[in-house]
Amino acid sequence: GESVGLHLPTLSVQEGDNSIINCAYSNSASDYFIWYKQESGKGPQFIIDIRSNMDKRQGQRVTVLLNKTVKHLSLQIAATQPGDSAVYFCAETGGGADGLTFGKGTHLIIQP
Amino acid sequence: DAGITQSPRHKVTETGTPVTLRCHQTENHRYMYWYRQDPGHGLRLIHYSYGVKDTDKGEVSDGYSVSRSKTEDFLLTLESATSSQTSVYFCAISETTGINEKLFFGSGTQLSVL
């Protein structure tokens, strides 16, 4: 989920297991959501997006679920690999002038 | 990183000096953005551009100015750097014409103001 203060929440999973990273948003007018992956020393990398007229979207080894009722977004990563170790954060927008609002991220750690 | 080059990658400067960061894209995208990333705050928008010579302020624009004289280049200037501007700066471009949708980011510039 979202971080509090300076420390990112951490999710530690075994290699080969599935990972679920959560994101709560507060703007009920948000209609577009994105998940990004950021490896150490690199820029954020687009993973997958979803619009509010959908509740699920699948990519390669990743699935995003959207629950508009409780304003919750999740990213599922299947068969987690060492290369999946990174900070993952969500972003959302209602299309207004404020643009994308970014979450602070979750640090995914893969254990061998 | 989606045809986006940021320069320099690292810079150390002193308080009160001017600093210019450069973003160059090869994708011919209309929209370009400057963000800063700080622990506990996530990514925050500084300025953005929706075309040559068309720019607007973001959430944290105080102390920063931008210029876009060509489609491919977007410059961020700190007129008089302060220690609070120590941060990692990311340039981003939009794949679509919708503002702020599906941003693609550069590799970042680590700026330290001493």
Side-chain angles (χ1 to χ4, degrees), chain B residues 1-91:
Chain B
D1 288 309
I4 306 169
T5 303
Q6 291 187 233
S7 58
R9 289 298 314 276
H10 303 273
K11 186 168 181 66
V12 179
T13 191
E14 294 184 347
T15 299
T17 60
V19 177
T20 295
L21 308 183
R22 180 177 182 250
C23 178
H24 178 79
Q25 62 145 329
T26 58
E27 306 296 321
N28 200 37
H29 287 327
R30 178 180 175 185
Y31 296 93
M32 299 185 74
Y33 314 80
W34 278 106
Y35 284 86
R36 60 178 291 174
Q37 186 176 44
D38 305 288
H41 290 280
L43 286 159
R44 293 182 292 173
L45 181 64
I46 305 172
H47 282 279
Y48 63 94
S49 169
Y50 42 94
V52 173
K53 298 184 179 179
D54 290 324
T55 65
D56 207 345
K57 297 179 180 180
E59 177 189 357
V60 291
S61 60
D62 288 349
Y64 302 94
S65 63
V66 289
S67 66
R68 191 165 178 203
S69 59
K70 297 185 290 185
T71 299
E72 57 266 35
D73 291 324
F74 194 31
L75 304 181
L76 177 70
T77 298
L78 291 66
E79 301 291 347
S80 178
T82 67
S83 58
S84 65
Q85 293 176 312
T86 291
S87 186
V88 181
Y89 291 86
F90 287 102
C91 174

Coordinates of all heavy atoms in Angstrom, one line a residue, chain B residues 1-91:
Chain B
D1 N 15.2 3.9 -22.3 CA 14.1 4.7 -21.6 C 13.3 5.5 -22.6 O 13.3 6.7 -22.6 CB 14.7 5.6 -20.5 CG 15.2 4.8 -19.3 OD1 14.4 4.0 -18.8 OD2 16.3 5.1 -18.9
A2 N 12.6 4.8 -23.5 CA 11.7 5.4 -24.4 C 12.2 6.6 -25.2 O 11.5 7.5 -25.5 CB 10.4 5.8 -23.7
G3 N 13.5 6.5 -25.6 CA 14.0 7.6 -26.4 C 14.2 8.9 -25.7 O 14.0 10.0 -26.3
I4 N 14.4 8.9 -24.4 CA 14.6 10.1 -23.6 C 16.0 10.1 -23.0 O 16.4 9.2 -22.3 CB 13.5 10.1 -22.4 CG1 12.1 9.9 -23.0 CG2 13.6 11.4 -21.7 CD1 11.1 9.7 -21.9
T5 N 16.7 11.2 -23.2 CA 18.0 11.4 -22.6 C 18.0 12.6 -21.7 O 17.6 13.7 -22.1 CB 19.0 11.6 -23.7 OG1 19.0 10.5 -24.6 CG2 20.4 11.7 -23.2
Q6 N 18.5 12.4 -20.5 CA 18.6 13.5 -19.5 C 20.1 13.7 -19.3 O 20.9 12.8 -19.2 CB 17.9 13.1 -18.2 CG 16.4 13.1 -18.3 CD 15.8 12.9 -16.9 OE1 15.0 12.0 -16.7 NE2 16.2 13.8 -16.0
S7 N 20.4 15.0 -19.2 CA 21.8 15.4 -18.9 C 21.9 16.6 -18.0 O 21.0 17.5 -18.2 CB 22.6 15.7 -20.2 OG 22.0 16.7 -21.0
P8 N 22.8 16.7 -17.1 CA 23.7 15.6 -16.8 C 23.0 14.5 -16.0 O 21.9 14.7 -15.6 CB 24.8 16.3 -15.9 CG 24.0 17.4 -15.2 CD 23.0 17.8 -16.2
R9 N 23.7 13.4 -15.7 CA 23.1 12.3 -14.9 C 23.3 12.6 -13.4 O 22.5 12.2 -12.6 CB 23.7 11.0 -15.2 CG 23.3 10.4 -16.6 CD 21.8 10.1 -16.7 NE 21.3 9.4 -15.5 CZ 21.3 8.1 -15.3 NH1 21.8 7.3 -16.2 NH2 20.7 7.6 -14.3
H10 N 24.4 13.3 -13.1 CA 24.7 13.7 -11.7 C 25.3 15.1 -11.8 O 26.0 15.4 -12.7 CB 25.7 12.7 -11.1 CG 25.3 11.3 -11.1 ND1 24.6 10.7 -10.1 CD2 25.6 10.3 -12.0 CE1 24.3 9.4 -10.4 NE2 24.9 9.2 -11.6
K11 N 24.9 15.9 -10.7 CA 25.5 17.2 -10.6 C 25.5 17.6 -9.2 O 24.6 17.4 -8.4 CB 24.7 18.2 -11.4 CG 25.4 19.6 -11.5 CD 24.8 20.5 -12.5 CE 25.5 21.9 -12.5 NZ 26.9 21.8 -12.9
V12 N 26.7 18.2 -8.8 CA 26.8 18.8 -7.5 C 27.1 20.3 -7.7 O 28.0 20.6 -8.5 CB 28.0 18.1 -6.7 CG1 28.1 18.8 -5.3 CG2 27.8 16.6 -6.6
T13 N 26.4 21.1 -7.0 CA 26.5 22.5 -7.1 C 26.4 23.2 -5.8 O 26.1 22.6 -4.8 CB 25.5 23.1 -8.1 OG1 25.8 24.4 -8.5 CG2 24.1 23.0 -7.5
E14 N 26.7 24.5 -5.8 CA 26.6 25.2 -4.5 C 25.4 26.1 -4.5 O 24.8 26.5 -5.5 CB 27.9 26.1 -4.4 CG 29.1 25.3 -4.2 CD 30.4 26.2 -4.0 OE1 30.2 27.4 -4.2 OE2 31.4 25.7 -3.7
T15 N 24.9 26.3 -3.3 CA 23.8 27.2 -3.1 C 24.0 28.5 -3.7 O 25.0 29.1 -3.6 CB 23.5 27.4 -1.6 OG1 23.3 26.2 -0.9 CG2 22.4 28.3 -1.3
G16 N 22.9 29.0 -4.4 CA 23.0 30.3 -5.1 C 23.4 30.3 -6.5 O 23.3 31.3 -7.2
T17 N 23.9 29.1 -7.0 CA 24.3 29.1 -8.4 C 23.2 28.6 -9.3 O 22.3 27.9 -8.9 CB 25.5 28.1 -8.6 OG1 25.0 26.8 -8.2 CG2 26.7 28.5 -7.7
P18 N 23.2 29.1 -10.6 CA 22.2 28.6 -11.5 C 22.5 27.2 -12.0 O 23.7 26.9 -12.2 CB 22.2 29.7 -12.6 CG 23.6 30.2 -12.6 CD 24.1 30.1 -11.2
V19 N 21.5 26.5 -12.3 CA 21.6 25.1 -12.8 C 20.6 24.8 -13.9 O 19.4 25.2 -13.7 CB 21.4 24.0 -11.7 CG1 21.6 22.6 -12.2 CG2 22.4 24.2 -10.6
T20 N 21.0 24.2 -15.0 CA 20.1 23.9 -16.0 C 20.2 22.4 -16.3 O 21.3 21.9 -16.5 CB 20.4 24.7 -17.3 OG1 20.1 26.0 -17.1 CG2 19.4 24.2 -18.5
L21 N 19.1 21.7 -16.3 CA 19.0 20.3 -16.6 C 18.3 20.2 -18.0 O 17.4 20.9 -18.3 CB 18.2 19.5 -15.6 CG 18.6 19.7 -14.1 CD1 17.7 18.8 -13.2 CD2 20.1 19.4 -13.9
R22 N 18.8 19.2 -18.8 CA 18.3 19.1 -20.2 C 17.6 17.8 -20.3 O 18.1 16.7 -19.8 CB 19.4 19.2 -21.2 CG 19.0 19.1 -22.6 CD 20.2 19.3 -23.5 NE 19.8 19.2 -25.0 CZ 20.2 18.3 -25.8 NH1 20.9 17.2 -25.3 NH2 19.8 18.3 -27.0
C23 N 16.5 17.8 -21.1 CA 15.8 16.6 -21.5 C 15.7 16.6 -23.0 O 15.2 17.6 -23.6 CB 14.4 16.5 -20.8 SG 13.5 15.1 -21.3
H24 N 16.1 15.5 -23.6 CA 16.0 15.4 -25.1 C 15.3 14.1 -25.4 O 15.6 13.1 -24.9 CB 17.4 15.3 -25.7 CG 17.5 15.2 -27.1 ND1 17.3 16.2 -28.0 CD2 17.7 14.1 -27.9 CE1 17.3 15.8 -29.3 NE2 17.6 14.5 -29.2
Q25 N 14.3 14.3 -26.3 CA 13.5 13.1 -26.7 C 13.6 12.9 -28.2 O 13.8 13.8 -29.0 CB 12.0 13.3 -26.3 CG 11.3 14.4 -27.0 CD 9.9 14.2 -27.4 OE1 9.5 13.1 -27.6 NE2 9.1 15.3 -27.4
T26 N 13.5 11.6 -28.6 CA 13.6 11.3 -30.1 C 12.2 10.8 -30.6 O 12.2 10.2 -31.7 CB 14.7 10.3 -30.3 OG1 14.4 9.1 -29.5 CG2 16.0 10.8 -30.0
E27 N 11.2 10.9 -29.7 CA 9.9 10.3 -30.1 C 8.9 11.3 -30.7 O 7.8 10.9 -31.1 CB 9.2 9.7 -28.8 CG 10.1 8.8 -28.0 CD 10.4 7.5 -28.8 OE1 9.5 7.0 -29.5 OE2 11.6 7.0 -28.7
N28 N 9.3 12.5 -30.8 CA 8.5 13.6 -31.3 C 7.1 13.7 -30.6 O 6.1 14.0 -31.2 CB 8.2 13.3 -32.8 CG 7.8 14.5 -33.6 OD1 8.2 15.6 -33.3 ND2 6.8 14.4 -34.5
H29 N 7.1 13.4 -29.3 CA 5.9 13.6 -28.5 C 5.6 15.0 -28.2 O 6.6 15.8 -27.9 CB 6.0 12.7 -27.3 CG 5.8 11.3 -27.5 ND1 5.1 10.7 -28.5 CD2 6.4 10.2 -26.9 CE1 5.1 9.4 -28.5 NE2 5.9 9.1 -27.5
R30 N 4.4 15.4 -28.1 CA 4.0 16.8 -27.9 C 4.2 17.2 -26.4 O 4.6 18.3 -26.1 CB 2.6 17.0 -28.3 CG 2.0 18.4 -28.0 CD 0.6 18.5 -28.4 NE 0.0 19.8 -28.1 CZ -1.2 20.1 -28.3 NH1 -2.1 19.3 -28.8 NH2 -1.7 21.3 -27.9
Y31 N 3.9 16.3 -25.5 CA 3.9 16.6 -24.1 C 5.2 16.2 -23.4 O 5.7 15.1 -23.6 CB 2.7 16.0 -23.4 CG 1.4 16.4 -23.9 CD1 0.7 15.8 -24.9 CD2 0.8 17.6 -23.3 CE1 -0.5 16.2 -25.3 CE2 -0.4 18.0 -23.8 CZ -1.1 17.3 -24.8 OH -2.3 17.8 -25.2
M32 N 5.8 17.1 -22.7 CA 7.0 16.8 -21.9 C 6.8 17.4 -20.5 O 6.1 18.4 -20.3 CB 8.2 17.4 -22.5 CG 8.5 16.8 -23.9 SD 10.0 17.4 -24.6 CE 11.3 16.5 -23.7
Y33 N 7.4 16.7 -19.5 CA 7.2 17.0 -18.1 C 8.5 17.0 -17.3 O 9.4 16.2 -17.6 CB 6.3 16.0 -17.4 CG 5.0 15.7 -18.2 CD1 5.1 14.8 -19.3 CD2 3.8 16.3 -17.9 CE1 3.9 14.5 -20.0 CE2 2.7 16.0 -18.7 CZ 2.8 15.1 -19.7 OH 1.6 14.9 -20.5
W34 N 8.6 17.8 -16.3 CA 9.7 17.6 -15.3 C 9.1 17.3 -13.9 O 8.2 18.0 -13.5 CB 10.5 18.9 -15.2 CG 11.5 19.1 -16.2 CD1 11.5 19.9 -17.3 CD2 12.8 18.4 -16.3 NE1 12.7 19.8 -18.0 CE2 13.5 18.8 -17.4 CE3 13.4 17.4 -15.5 CZ2 14.7 18.4 -17.8 CZ3 14.6 16.9 -15.9 CH2 15.3 17.4 -17.0
Y35 N 9.6 16.3 -13.3 CA 9.2 15.8 -12.0 C 10.4 15.8 -11.1 O 11.5 15.6 -11.5 CB 8.6 14.4 -12.0 CG 7.2 14.3 -12.5 CD1 7.0 14.1 -13.9 CD2 6.1 14.3 -11.7 CE1 5.7 14.0 -14.4 CE2 4.8 14.1 -12.2 CZ 4.7 14.0 -13.5 OH 3.4 13.9 -14.0
R36 N 10.2 15.9 -9.8 CA 11.2 15.7 -8.8 C 10.7 14.5 -7.9 O 9.5 14.4 -7.7 CB 11.6 16.9 -8.0 CG 10.5 17.5 -7.2 CD 11.0 18.7 -6.3 NE 11.9 18.3 -5.3 CZ 12.5 19.1 -4.5 NH1 12.4 20.4 -4.7 NH2 13.3 18.7 -3.5
Q37 N 11.7 13.7 -7.4 CA 11.3 12.6 -6.6 C 12.1 12.7 -5.3 O 13.4 12.7 -5.3 CB 11.7 11.3 -7.3 CG 11.2 10.0 -6.6 CD 11.4 8.8 -7.3 OE1 12.4 8.5 -8.0 NE2 10.4 7.9 -7.4
D38 N 11.4 12.7 -4.2 CA 12.0 12.8 -2.9 C 11.4 11.7 -2.0 O 10.3 11.4 -2.1 CB 11.8 14.2 -2.3 CG 12.2 15.3 -3.2 OD1 13.4 15.5 -3.3 OD2 11.3 16.0 -3.8
P39 N 12.2 11.2 -1.0 CA 11.7 10.2 -0.1 C 10.5 10.8 0.7 O 10.5 11.9 1.1 CB 12.9 10.0 0.9 CG 14.1 10.4 0.1 CD 13.7 11.5 -0.8
G40 N 9.5 10.0 0.7 CA 8.3 10.4 1.5 C 7.3 11.2 0.7 O 6.2 11.5 1.2
H41 N 7.7 11.6 -0.5 CA 6.8 12.4 -1.3 C 6.4 11.8 -2.7 O 5.5 12.2 -3.3 CB 7.4 13.8 -1.6 CG 7.5 14.7 -0.4 ND1 6.5 15.4 0.1 CD2 8.6 14.9 0.4 CE1 6.9 16.1 1.2 NE2 8.1 15.8 1.4
G42 N 7.1 10.8 -3.1 CA 6.8 10.3 -4.4 C 7.2 11.3 -5.5 O 8.0 12.3 -5.3
L43 N 6.6 11.2 -6.7 CA 6.9 12.0 -7.8 C 6.0 13.2 -7.8 O 4.8 13.1 -7.6 CB 6.7 11.3 -9.1 CG 7.8 10.3 -9.5 CD1 7.2 9.3 -10.5 CD2 9.0 11.0 -10.1
R44 N 6.6 14.4 -7.9 CA 5.8 15.6 -7.9 C 6.1 16.5 -9.2 O 7.3 16.6 -9.5 CB 6.1 16.5 -6.6 CG 5.6 15.8 -5.4 CD 5.8 16.7 -4.2 NE 7.3 16.8 -3.9 CZ 7.8 17.6 -2.9 NH1 7.0 18.4 -2.2 NH2 9.1 17.6 -2.7
L45 N 5.1 17.0 -9.8 CA 5.2 17.7 -11.0 C 5.7 19.1 -10.8 O 5.1 19.9 -10.0 CB 3.9 17.7 -11.8 CG 3.8 18.4 -13.1 CD1 4.7 17.7 -14.1 CD2 2.4 18.5 -13.6
I46 N 6.8 19.5 -11.5 CA 7.3 20.8 -11.4 C 6.7 21.7 -12.5 O 6.1 22.8 -12.2 CB 8.9 20.8 -11.6 CG1 9.5 19.8 -10.6 CG2 9.5 22.2 -11.4 CD1 11.0 19.5 -10.8
H47 N 7.0 21.4 -13.8 CA 6.4 22.1 -14.9 C 6.1 21.1 -16.0 O 6.7 20.0 -16.0 CB 7.4 23.1 -15.5 CG 7.6 24.4 -14.7 ND1 6.7 25.4 -14.8 CD2 8.5 24.8 -13.8 CE1 7.1 26.4 -14.1 NE2 8.2 26.1 -13.4
Y48 N 5.3 21.5 -16.9 CA 5.1 20.7 -18.1 C 4.9 21.5 -19.3 O 4.7 22.7 -19.3 CB 3.9 19.7 -17.9 CG 2.5 20.5 -17.8 CD1 1.7 20.7 -18.9 CD2 2.1 20.9 -16.5 CE1 0.5 21.3 -18.7 CE2 0.9 21.5 -16.4 CZ 0.1 21.7 -17.5 OH -1.1 22.4 -17.3
S49 N 5.0 20.9 -20.5 CA 4.9 21.6 -21.8 C 4.0 20.8 -22.7 O 4.1 19.6 -22.8 CB 6.3 21.7 -22.4 OG 6.2 22.2 -23.7
Y50 N 3.1 21.5 -23.4 CA 2.2 20.9 -24.3 C 2.5 21.3 -25.7 O 1.6 21.2 -26.6 CB 0.7 21.2 -23.9 CG 0.5 22.6 -23.5 CD1 0.0 23.6 -24.4 CD2 0.6 23.0 -22.2 CE1 -0.2 24.9 -24.0 CE2 0.4 24.3 -21.8 CZ 0.0 25.3 -22.7 OH -0.3 26.6 -22.3
G51 N 3.7 21.9 -25.9 CA 4.1 22.2 -27.3 C 5.2 23.2 -27.2 O 5.6 23.7 -26.1
V52 N 5.8 23.5 -28.4 CA 6.9 24.4 -28.4 C 6.5 25.8 -27.9 O 5.4 26.3 -28.3 CB 7.5 24.6 -29.9 CG1 8.5 25.7 -30.0 CG2 8.0 23.3 -30.4
K53 N 7.2 26.3 -26.9 CA 7.0 27.6 -26.3 C 5.7 27.6 -25.4 O 5.3 28.7 -24.9 CB 7.0 28.7 -27.3 CG 8.3 28.9 -28.0 CD 8.3 30.1 -28.9 CE 9.7 30.2 -29.5 NZ 9.8 31.4 -30.5
D54 N 5.1 26.4 -25.3 CA 3.9 26.4 -24.4 C 4.2 25.6 -23.2 O 4.4 24.3 -23.2 CB 2.7 25.7 -25.2 CG 2.2 26.6 -26.3 OD1 2.1 27.8 -26.1 OD2 1.8 26.0 -27.3
T55 N 4.2 26.2 -22.0 CA 4.5 25.6 -20.8 C 3.5 26.0 -19.7 O 2.9 27.0 -19.8 CB 6.0 25.9 -20.3 OG1 6.1 27.2 -20.0 CG2 7.0 25.5 -21.4
D56 N 3.5 25.2 -18.6 CA 2.6 25.6 -17.5 C 3.2 25.0 -16.2 O 4.1 24.1 -16.3 CB 1.2 25.1 -17.7 CG 0.2 25.9 -17.0 OD1 0.5 26.7 -16.1 OD2 -1.0 25.8 -17.3
K57 N 2.7 25.6 -15.1 CA 3.3 25.2 -13.8 C 2.6 23.9 -13.3 O 1.4 23.7 -13.5 CB 3.1 26.3 -12.8 CG 3.8 27.6 -13.1 CD 3.5 28.7 -12.1 CE 4.2 30.0 -12.5 NZ 3.9 31.0 -11.5
G58 N 3.4 23.2 -12.5 CA 2.9 22.0 -11.8 C 2.7 22.3 -10.3 O 2.7 23.5 -9.9
E59 N 2.7 21.3 -9.5 CA 2.5 21.4 -8.1 C 3.6 22.1 -7.3 O 3.3 22.8 -6.4 CB 2.4 19.9 -7.6 CG 2.2 19.8 -6.1 CD 2.3 18.4 -5.6 OE1 2.4 17.4 -6.4 OE2 2.2 18.1 -4.4
V60 N 4.9 21.9 -7.8 CA 6.0 22.5 -7.0 C 6.9 23.3 -7.9 O 8.1 23.1 -8.0 CB 6.8 21.3 -6.3 CG1 6.0 20.7 -5.2 CG2 7.2 20.3 -7.4
S61 N 6.3 24.3 -8.5 CA 7.0 25.1 -9.5 C 7.9 26.2 -9.0 O 8.8 26.8 -9.7 CB 6.0 25.7 -10.5 OG 5.1 26.5 -9.8
D62 N 7.7 26.6 -7.7 CA 8.5 27.7 -7.2 C 10.0 27.5 -7.2 O 10.4 26.4 -6.7 CB 8.0 28.0 -5.7 CG 6.7 28.7 -5.6 OD1 6.2 29.1 -6.7 OD2 6.1 28.7 -4.5
G63 N 10.7 28.4 -7.7 CA 12.2 28.3 -7.8 C 12.7 27.7 -9.1 O 13.9 27.5 -9.3
Y64 N 11.8 27.3 -10.0 CA 12.1 26.6 -11.2 C 11.5 27.4 -12.4 O 10.4 27.9 -12.3 CB 11.6 25.2 -11.3 CG 12.0 24.3 -10.2 CD1 11.2 24.1 -9.0 CD2 13.2 23.6 -10.3 CE1 11.6 23.3 -8.0 CE2 13.6 22.7 -9.3 CZ 12.8 22.5 -8.1 OH 13.2 21.7 -7.1
S65 N 12.2 27.3 -13.5 CA 11.6 27.8 -14.8 C 12.0 26.8 -15.9 O 12.9 25.9 -15.7 CB 12.2 29.2 -15.2 OG 13.6 29.1 -15.4
V66 N 11.2 26.8 -17.0 CA 11.4 25.9 -18.0 C 11.4 26.6 -19.4 O 10.9 27.7 -19.5 CB 10.4 24.8 -18.0 CG1 10.6 23.8 -16.9 CG2 9.0 25.3 -18.1
S67 N 12.0 25.9 -20.4 CA 11.9 26.5 -21.7 C 11.8 25.3 -22.7 O 12.4 24.3 -22.5 CB 13.0 27.4 -22.1 OG 14.2 26.7 -22.1
R68 N 11.0 25.5 -23.8 CA 11.0 24.5 -24.8 C 11.0 25.3 -26.2 O 9.9 25.7 -26.6 CB 9.7 23.7 -24.7 CG 9.7 22.5 -25.6 CD 8.7 21.5 -25.2 NE 8.6 20.3 -26.0 CZ 7.6 19.6 -26.2 NH1 6.5 19.8 -25.5 NH2 7.6 18.5 -27.0
S69 N 12.1 25.3 -26.8 CA 12.3 26.0 -28.0 C 12.2 25.1 -29.2 O 12.0 25.5 -30.4 CB 13.6 26.8 -28.1 OG 14.7 25.8 -27.9
K70 N 12.3 23.8 -29.0 CA 12.2 22.8 -30.0 C 11.3 21.6 -29.4 O 11.3 21.4 -28.2 CB 13.5 22.2 -30.4 CG 14.4 23.3 -31.1 CD 15.7 22.6 -31.6 CE 16.6 22.2 -30.4 NZ 17.9 21.7 -30.9
T71 N 10.7 20.9 -30.3 CA 9.9 19.8 -29.8 C 10.7 18.8 -29.0 O 10.2 18.2 -28.0 CB 9.3 19.0 -31.1 OG1 8.4 19.9 -31.8 CG2 8.5 17.8 -30.6
E72 N 11.9 18.5 -29.4 CA 12.7 17.5 -28.8 C 13.4 17.9 -27.5 O 13.9 17.0 -26.7 CB 13.7 16.9 -29.8 CG 14.7 18.0 -30.3 CD 14.3 18.6 -31.6 OE1 13.0 18.7 -31.8 OE2 15.1 18.9 -32.5
D73 N 13.5 19.2 -27.1 CA 14.2 19.6 -26.0 C 13.4 20.3 -25.0 O 12.6 21.2 -25.3 CB 15.4 20.5 -26.4 CG 16.5 19.7 -27.1 OD1 16.7 18.5 -26.8 OD2 17.1 20.3 -28.0
F74 N 13.5 20.0 -23.7 CA 12.8 20.6 -22.6 C 13.8 20.9 -21.5 O 14.4 19.9 -21.0 CB 11.7 19.7 -22.1 CG 10.7 20.4 -21.2 CD1 10.3 21.7 -21.4 CD2 10.0 19.6 -20.3 CE1 9.4 22.3 -20.5 CE2 9.0 20.2 -19.5 CZ 8.7 21.5 -19.6
L75 N 14.1 22.2 -21.2 CA 15.1 22.5 -20.2 C 14.4 23.0 -18.9 O 13.4 23.7 -18.9 CB 15.9 23.7 -20.8 CG 16.6 23.5 -22.1 CD1 17.4 24.7 -22.5 CD2 17.5 22.3 -22.1
L76 N 15.0 22.5 -17.8 CA 14.6 22.9 -16.5 C 15.8 23.7 -15.9 O 16.9 23.3 -15.8 CB 14.3 21.7 -15.6 CG 14.0 22.0 -14.1 CD1 12.6 22.6 -14.1 CD2 14.0 20.7 -13.3
T77 N 15.4 25.0 -15.4 CA 16.5 25.8 -14.8 C 16.1 26.2 -13.4 O 15.0 26.5 -13.1 CB 16.6 27.1 -15.6 OG1 17.0 26.8 -16.9 CG2 17.6 28.1 -15.0
L78 N 17.1 26.0 -12.5 CA 17.0 26.5 -11.2 C 17.8 27.8 -11.2 O 19.1 27.8 -11.3 CB 17.7 25.5 -10.2 CG 17.0 24.2 -9.9 CD1 16.9 23.3 -11.2 CD2 17.6 23.4 -8.8
E79 N 17.2 28.9 -11.0 CA 17.8 30.2 -11.2 C 18.9 30.5 -10.1 O 19.9 31.0 -10.4 CB 16.8 31.3 -11.1 CG 15.7 31.2 -12.2 CD 16.2 31.5 -13.6 OE1 17.4 32.0 -13.8 OE2 15.5 31.2 -14.6
S80 N 18.6 30.0 -8.9 CA 19.5 30.2 -7.8 C 19.2 29.0 -6.8 O 18.3 29.0 -6.0 CB 19.2 31.5 -7.0 OG 20.0 31.6 -5.9
A81 N 20.1 28.0 -7.0 CA 19.8 26.7 -6.4 C 19.8 26.8 -4.8 O 20.7 27.5 -4.3 CB 20.8 25.7 -6.8
T82 N 18.9 26.1 -4.2 CA 18.9 26.0 -2.7 C 19.0 24.5 -2.3 O 18.7 23.6 -3.1 CB 17.6 26.6 -2.2 OG1 16.5 25.7 -2.6 CG2 17.3 28.0 -2.7
S83 N 19.4 24.3 -1.1 CA 19.5 22.9 -0.6 C 18.2 22.1 -0.6 O 18.3 20.9 -0.8 CB 20.1 23.0 0.9 OG 19.2 23.7 1.7
S84 N 17.1 22.8 -0.6 CA 15.8 22.1 -0.6 C 15.5 21.6 -2.0 O 14.6 20.8 -2.2 CB 14.7 23.0 -0.2 OG 14.5 24.1 -1.1
Q85 N 16.4 22.0 -3.0 CA 16.2 21.5 -4.4 C 17.1 20.3 -4.7 O 17.1 19.8 -5.8 CB 16.5 22.6 -5.4 CG 15.4 23.7 -5.3 CD 15.7 24.9 -6.2 OE1 16.8 25.4 -6.2 NE2 14.7 25.3 -7.0
T86 N 17.8 19.8 -3.6 CA 18.5 18.6 -3.8 C 17.5 17.5 -4.0 O 16.6 17.3 -3.1 CB 19.3 18.3 -2.5 OG1 20.4 19.2 -2.4 CG2 19.9 16.9 -2.5
S87 N 17.6 16.7 -5.1 CA 16.5 15.8 -5.4 C 17.0 15.0 -6.6 O 18.0 15.2 -7.2 CB 15.2 16.5 -5.7 OG 14.2 15.6 -5.9
V88 N 16.2 14.0 -7.0 CA 16.3 13.4 -8.3 C 15.3 13.9 -9.2 O 14.1 13.9 -8.9 CB 16.2 11.8 -8.2 CG1 16.4 11.2 -9.5 CG2 17.2 11.3 -7.1
Y89 N 15.7 14.4 -10.4 CA 14.8 15.0 -11.3 C 14.6 14.1 -12.5 O 15.5 13.6 -13.1 CB 15.4 16.3 -11.8 CG 15.4 17.4 -10.7 CD1 16.4 17.5 -9.8 CD2 14.3 18.3 -10.6 CE1 16.4 18.4 -8.8 CE2 14.3 19.2 -9.5 CZ 15.4 19.3 -8.7 OH 15.4 20.2 -7.6
F90 N 13.3 13.9 -12.8 CA 12.9 13.0 -14.0 C 12.2 13.8 -15.0 O 11.3 14.6 -14.7 CB 12.0 11.9 -13.5 CG 12.8 10.8 -12.7 CD1 12.7 10.8 -11.4 CD2 13.6 9.9 -13.4 CE1 13.4 9.8 -10.6 CE2 14.3 8.9 -12.7 CZ 14.2 8.9 -11.3
C91 N 12.6 13.6 -16.2 CA 11.8 14.1 -17.4 C 10.9 13.0 -17.9 O 11.3 11.8 -17.8 CB 12.8 14.5 -18.5 SG 12.0 15.0 -20.0

